[in-house]
Amino acid sequence: MECTPNKDALLALIRPDMKLTKEFLKRIYVFEISYPGFADQAIAALEKAGCGRAREYYNHWVTEYEDKHREEMKQVAQWYQSWYDSQHGRKGGDELRTGRQGTAQQKKQLLELKRNLLMQKLQR
C-alpha cells in the first residue's frame, strides 16, 4: 500500500477496483482519531466506489481492535501494579489506589511507559 501522509491522500486511493484491506481500515481509524468524522467521509467514498459493506467491515475492525486494546491495557495495568508494589511495597500501591499524588519522577515514568506502549501498538 502506498504511503498516506495525509487524509486527502488516503481518500485519493479509494477507487472502484481497489481491494479493501484491514490495513486500509486501520489507516481510516488512525485519521478518525485526529479528525473526528473522517471515518464517515471515507466510508461514504468507499460506498460510492461500490463497497456497500464498508461500514460493516470498518465497525467490525474497530470493535475487534478496541477489544484487543482494552485487554492489552488491562495486562499492562496489572504488570505496572505489580512493579509498583515491588518497588514501593504494598503500602505504596494502596496509596496510589486511594488517590495520593505521585512524585514528578513517578509521573514521568508513567508517561514514558505509556509512550512506549503506544509506539509498540502503532508498530503492530
Side-chain angles (χ1 to χ4, degrees):
M1 176 170 282
E2 295 179 31
C3 178
T4 50
N6 62 51
K7 59 189 175 97
D8 294 327
L10 184 68
L11 290 173
L13 293 174
I14 297 173
R15 348 176 261 290
D17 63 339
M18 73 176 283
K19 181 177 179 183
L20 185 57
T21 64
K22 287 185 177 186
E23 179 65 29
F24 197 83
L25 296 174
K26 177 179 167 182
R27 290 178 185 212
I28 292 172
Y29 181 77
V30 167
F31 283 117
E32 173 67 19
I33 291 169
S34 298
Y35 305 99
F38 177 76
D40 289 330
Q41 183 182 2
I43 290 169
L46 285 164
E47 290 171 339
K48 186 176 178 183
C51 185
R53 296 179 69 188
R55 185 169 309 279
E56 178 185 339
Y57 295 148
Y58 178 76
N59 289 337
H60 177 75
W61 184 89
V62 169
T63 300
E64 187 177 272
Y65 171 80
E66 289 179 347
D67 287 348
K68 184 177 178 184
H69 174 72
R70 234 182 326 279
E71 285 304 312
E72 288 175 351
M73 290 299 104
K74 284 180 186 176
Q75 292 173 5
V76 168
Q78 290 170 349
W79 171 85
Y80 182 73
Q81 186 65 56
S82 296
W83 175 84
Y84 188 89
D85 288 346
S86 70
Q87 296 295 313
H88 303 287
R90 191 70 189 154
K91 181 180 177 188
D94 292 338
E95 290 170 352
L96 184 63
R97 282 188 289 279
T98 60
R100 181 175 168 208
Q101 294 295 325
T103 65
Q105 181 65 27
Q106 289 170 329
K107 288 179 184 179
K108 185 177 177 181
Q109 288 174 341
L110 283 172
L111 287 173
E112 186 64 29
L113 176 63
K114 181 179 178 183
R115 184 177 302 120
N116 289 339
L117 291 169
L118 289 172
M119 288 304 293
Q120 289 173 4
K121 189 154 219 38
L122 284 174
Q123 289 173 356
R124 288 187 203 151

